[in-house]
Amino acid sequence: MNKHWMNKRVTVTGGAGFLGQHLVKRLERQGAQVFVPRRRDYDLTSLDACLRCLLEHPADLLIHGAAYYGGIGINQTEPGRLYYENLVLGANLMEAARLTKVGKVVNIGTACSYPGYLEGHLKEEDLWAGPCHASVVNYGLTKKMLAVQGLAYKRQYGLDSIHLILTNLYGPGDSYNPDRSHVVAALVRKWVEADLAKAPSIEVWGTGKPVREFIYVEDCADAILLAAEKYNDVSLPLNIGTGIGTSIRELVETINSVTGYSGQLIWNTDKPDGAMMKVLDVSRMSNALGGWSPPTNLRDGLSKTIAWYRANKSQADEKW
Ligand code: GDP
């Protein structure tokens, strides 16, 4: 068991959420003193609340994993809220972190921050090589600003931080609300419900051609904690992913094969495809994390996720 954070004070924003719960569980196992600010106690969109949080709970490590986010649907319906909440949350938390002298900040970013119209795998050096994809710009840019703030705050105030760029996560505890969910959770719910209702067809969005990369949430939590320990270069973000591209059509076929569903697929091309390709280059990740790569393949991760969703459906559907 890695004891790097033993007895260290670690604050995890978003620590009760999908990814955050897995981070907290691991940190506690390592012997860290973990604090998770809850929205009802600290509305972190306000600088006062960020300051109060970090003064009341001084942190050797602050993992900023909180975000108001979701899949391609919510980017269309709530672009304003996505923009405002994530922008001020990140900016105020970093300001409070430097004022309260946090030891190190780990900002959790998103592949939506990358240029949306590049070909090939996305490399850290390309973060500024073009505009974000229009379908996710409102969210992607706010997280990208944290990479700018991290560098500025290191230069002016000496605050240590890193910026991690995560690919699409999936797994138990995700949002299964169709207004908010990303593609894997959305499809898992549709497939399980079609199976329960013996439905003859399922609607899938777009053309099936876009290519995405999917990382199992537990693997992602392991990678984040390794990066928090080993990666210190504020001048370049670090990608966290599998590096493996899967088309939406291939994803659908894998879910069909795991569930045994054999009904008809209806591709609703009125729904957006989004970026045609969003897959990270993970060579720097592998070097920085001592050769680590995510152990869970897509089929196994989907099997675990579908089994969990079947067993926890009503609770999962109500969550958010
Ligand atoms: P993105 O990775 O930011 O584009 O967000 P999503 O995970 O929401 O969508 C990824 C791709 O899956 C897009 O091309 C969607 O059109 C496609 N997709 C297919 N069916 C669905 C669905 O039911 N829900 C969502 N959210 N996406 C879907």
Side-chain angles (χ1 to χ4, degrees), residues 71-72 136 168 181-183 186-187 190 204-205 210 212 248 272-273 278:
I72 203 162
V136 289
N168 292 28
S181 48
H182 281 273
V183 61
L187 298 189
K190 286 181 190 181
V204 193
W205 295 358
R212 294 289 182 274
I248 301 303
D273 267 341
K278 198 158 52 176

Side-chain angles (χ1 to χ4, degrees), residues 113-115 123-131 141 144-145 147-148 237:
S113 295
Y114 269 112
K123 290 193 168 69
E124 288 88 347
E125 295 79 2
D126 292 337
L127 187 62
W128 298 96
L141 268 188
K144 198 160 164 167
M145 284 302 104
V148 178

